[in-house]
Amino acid sequence: GLPAEQRDTQSILDHFGVERDEVLGRGGEATVYALDQDRVLRIYHSDPAPTAQVIAQLQGLYRMWTGGPIELPTVLENGERAGRIYTVTSRLHGVSLDRWLATAAPEERRTALLSYLDAAQAVSALPAPLAGFARLVGAGAPQQFDSLAALLTAQLQPQVAVSRDRL
């Protein structure tokens, strides 16, 4: 039979009537499957309790940012099944930037990267629950830091702790 993690994933896929080959992508946070033209299913890789906390924090931020200058996913449903956290969100259409850049003509890349910088500027203008440099999601969030370096150091600490023996 399948390993436990794959069985748990299959349980969620079966619940939603999704086939494994309908995967849109896999990242460090979740694997994303197409449900239909308007919705996606995200099955998260990490432990349920912290993942549920992050989803709740993101939902709050998304509500705060609705109607802003960038398109954001809407969490339509979230839950736990077979010990795994999932969300159903509105589908943001398009191709991932890294995939697109690999095939884009050089003149298209410049336009896209300038657009990306414009989007980053728009994100920086969104309202935040804390001013300055802050962690907005995750354990202990929201948490304010004195500098960008302090924020980035705090963000890296869990990964460094896990990876130190391999360095």
Side-chain angles (χ1 to χ4, degrees):
L2 293 172
E5 182 177 328
Q6 288 181 4
R7 275 195 315 273
D8 298 344
T9 296
Q10 192 61 53
S11 172
I12 297 171
L13 295 175
D14 291 346
H15 175 74
F16 286 97
V18 177
E19 299 295 326
R20 279 192 178 275
D21 63 355
E22 294 177 79
V23 67
L24 295 173
R26 180 179 172 91
E29 179 180 273
T31 301
V32 182
Y33 298 87
L35 285 177
D36 53 42
Q37 287 300 312
D38 298 320
R39 301 174 305 144
V40 297
L41 170 66
R42 296 177 191 278
I43 301 176
Y44 293 85
H45 307 306
S46 58
D47 295 334
T51 301
Q53 176 188 23
V54 167
I55 291 168
Q57 291 166 332
L58 286 172
Q59 284 178 297
L61 290 171
Y62 291 165
R63 279 191 296 276
M64 184 186 320
W65 296 335
T66 297
I70 59 172
E71 186 179 5
L72 296 167
T74 301
V75 178
L76 305 169
E77 177 183 340
N78 64 309
E80 183 176 343
R81 186 173 192 82
R84 301 283 298 282
I85 297 287
Y86 69 86
T87 59
V88 174
T89 62
S90 57
R91 187 170 183 172
L92 302 179
H93 294 279
V95 178
S96 68
L97 183 61
D98 62 335
R99 286 185 194 164
W100 182 82
L101 283 174
T103 60
E107 63 277 3
E108 293 175 311
R109 289 180 188 158
R110 176 176 165 62
T111 301
L113 292 173
L114 289 172
S115 177
Y116 182 82
L117 291 174
D118 290 342
Q121 181 65 38
V123 167
S124 74
L126 292 171
L130 295 176
F133 301 104
R135 177 185 315 177
L136 300 180
V137 296
Q143 182 181 4
Q144 192 168 29
F145 294 87
D146 293 332
S147 67
L148 178 59
L151 169 61
L152 294 175
T153 299
Q155 295 286 91
L156 284 173
Q157 287 311 307
Q159 287 74 24
V160 169
V162 170
S163 303
R164 185 168 300 281
D165 292 341
R166 295 183 219 148
L167 299 177

